[in-house]
């Protein structure tokens, strides 16, 4: 059985960059991009940051976690890049159903997140108010602080060491 590493945080936190760099450090590896699962929805889509998207988001998260399970049990170190807030990590872990899950929340400053997100392509979330809202939700969430990296700089090396020493292992609620 291989490792599962969940790289989370608000938009603009650096999840995709860090997840891609981590995936390159393992062989074999799989990089599962959580946002891709929203693309499977055809009708009834609700912007994920809105309160009325809760059921949709739970469904998408379970679908992604099920896919993650296939890669992990198939022998791939699997890096999941997606918005998995502390309020959802338990459901994600249950649906992924793997023995070891490393969980990290990248949480640079809100200004850094907004700046990075607004500099992206047009198909990304570019609503500064929504980005600030998601950042507030992560910042206000109650969970073990060892899972949070607050740097505006690239934390990839620090993250890899934390994974190796097991300090980011998710142990449940």
């Amino acid at each position: 059985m291989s490792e599962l590493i969940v790289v989370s945080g608000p938009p603009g936190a650096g999840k995709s960059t860090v997840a891609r760099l981590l995936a390159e450090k393992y062989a074999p590896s799989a990089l599962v991009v959580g946002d891709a699962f929203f693309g499977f929805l055809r009708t009834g889509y609700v912007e994920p940051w809105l309160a009325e998207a809760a059921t949709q988001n739970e469904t998408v998260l379970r679908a992604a976690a099920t896919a993650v399970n296939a890669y992990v049990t198939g022998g791939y170190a699997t890096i999941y890049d997606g918005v998995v807030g502390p309020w959802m990590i338990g459901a994600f872990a249950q649906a992924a159903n793997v023995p070891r899950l490393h969980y990290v929340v990248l949480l640079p400053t809100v200004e850094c997140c907004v700046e990075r997100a607004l500099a992206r392509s047009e198909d990304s979330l570019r609503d500064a108010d929504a980005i600030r809202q998601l950042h507030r939700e992560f910042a206000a969430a109650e969970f073990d602080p060892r899972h949070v990296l607050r740097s505006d700089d690239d934390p990839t090396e620090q993250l890899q060491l934390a994974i190796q020493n097991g300090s980011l292992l998710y142990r449940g609620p």
Side-chain angles (χ1 to χ4, degrees):
M1 186 84 52
S2 291
E3 302 289 333
L4 169 57
I5 304 161
V6 176
V7 180
S8 188
K15 298 180 299 293
S16 297
T17 300
V18 169
R20 185 176 74 309
L21 291 170
L22 276 175
E24 292 171 3
K25 304 238 181 228
Y26 295 90
S29 68
L31 174 59
V32 178
V33 179
D35 285 350
F37 288 82
F38 285 96
F40 298 129
L41 301 174
R42 287 293 154 245
T43 62
Y45 176 81
V46 179
E47 297 293 352
W49 59 88
L50 298 175
E52 55 269 25
T55 300
Q56 166 192 279
N57 295 348
E58 291 168 13
T59 300
V60 169
L61 193 71
R62 278 194 315 274
T66 301
V68 160
N69 173 279
Y71 287 111
V72 173
T73 58
Y76 291 84
T78 305
I79 295 76
Y80 181 80
D81 160 17
V83 177
V84 181
W87 53 90
M88 292 293 290
I89 188 61
F92 185 89
Q94 183 178 11
N97 192 29
V98 296
R100 290 173 52 94
L101 183 156
H102 302 271
Y103 178 59
V104 64
V105 172
L106 304 180
L107 197 60
T109 62
V110 67
E111 295 84 11
C112 179
C113 288
V114 170
E115 181 181 321
R116 287 177 183 169
L118 294 180
R120 293 186 191 154
S121 67
E122 294 298 319
D123 61 343
S124 299
L125 174 60
R126 298 172 52 78
D127 180 327
D129 290 335
I131 295 162
R132 285 186 181 94
Q133 172 192 330
L134 287 163
H135 190 282
R136 278 192 304 274
E137 290 174 10
F138 272 96
E142 293 185 25
F143 62 106
D144 190 334
R146 69 189 169 85
H147 292 287
V148 181
L149 295 180
R150 296 187 183 272
S151 174
D152 287 0
D153 300 321
D154 178 6
T156 307
E157 295 303 319
Q158 178 186 359
L159 182 52
Q160 191 173 15
L161 289 172
I163 291 164
Q164 288 172 353
N165 72 27
S167 65
L168 295 174
L169 280 172
Y170 174 72
R171 294 184 177 89

